[in-house]
């Protein structure tokens, strides 16, 4: 059971926040441009952030013997979600825009807490 929860929580972060979110940031879709203007960030920030999201998502898929590298990805996504929430809060965005990154942070926390108990490449649990 823990293995399934770990896999689902990790894949949610990897696919939605990492690969899809990173691609959207890199492509600078209209929604990203709108958010950048509302938050006061330059567009190149989102391009760099998108690249780092994709790299971080790939790092979360590494085997458990590379735990130190995976921990860097967990830390990076934690900072991303916290700063995204705080940026929206500081710019008086809607409550949903403030809470959504915190929901992803909660999902990321579940993945992190279960990572040593149930690895994607390990069927011990």
């Amino acid at each position: 059971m823990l293995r399934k929860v770990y896999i689902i929580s990790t894949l949610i972060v990897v696919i939605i926040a990492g690969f899809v979110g990173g691609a959207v940031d890199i492509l600078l879709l209209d929604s990203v441009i709108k958010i950048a203007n509302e938050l006061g960030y330059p567009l190149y920030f989102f391009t760099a952030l998108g690249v780092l999201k994709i790299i971080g998502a790939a790092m979360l898929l590494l085997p458990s013997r590379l735990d130190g590298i995976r921990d860097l990805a967990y830390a990076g996504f934690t900072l991303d979600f916290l700063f995204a929430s705080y940026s929206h809060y500081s710019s008086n965005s809607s409550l949903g825009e403030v809470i959504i990154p915190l929901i992803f942070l909660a999902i990321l926390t579940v993945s992190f807490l279960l990572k040593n108990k149930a690895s994607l490449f390990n069927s011990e649990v």
Side-chain angles (χ1 to χ4, degrees):
M1 177 64 178
L2 290 178
R3 180 174 163 74
K4 287 181 182 178
V5 172
Y6 169 73
I7 290 171
I8 291 168
S9 62
T10 303
L11 289 178
I12 287 172
V13 173
V14 166
I15 293 169
I16 297 174
F19 293 137
V20 173
V24 167
D25 286 350
I26 290 169
L27 295 172
L28 294 174
L29 299 180
D30 290 339
S31 59
V32 174
I33 294 170
K34 179 180 178 246
I35 290 171
N37 290 331
E38 289 173 1
L39 298 178
Y41 290 119
L43 291 178
Y44 64 81
F45 172 79
F46 286 92
T47 303
L49 185 62
V51 170
L52 293 174
K53 285 179 182 180
I54 291 172
I55 292 170
M59 289 169 60
L60 287 180
L61 296 175
L62 293 173
S64 59
R65 69 177 185 274
L66 298 171
D67 226 13
I69 296 172
R70 286 195 312 172
D71 286 347
L72 288 174
Y74 279 109
F77 276 112
T78 298
L79 291 173
D80 177 41
F81 298 146
L82 287 173
F83 283 117
S85 179
Y86 185 71
S87 292
H88 283 289
Y89 171 78
S90 296
S91 65
N92 296 318
S93 298
S94 70
L95 184 60
E97 290 175 313
V98 174
I99 291 177
I100 288 172
L102 298 177
I103 292 170
F104 277 102
L105 179 60
I107 295 169
L108 180 75
T109 302
V110 169
S111 172
F112 178 77
L113 293 174
L114 295 178
K115 76 179 171 75
N116 292 329
K117 295 181 176 25
S119 174
L120 289 173
F121 303 104
N122 190 353
S123 58
E124 294 173 9
V125 175

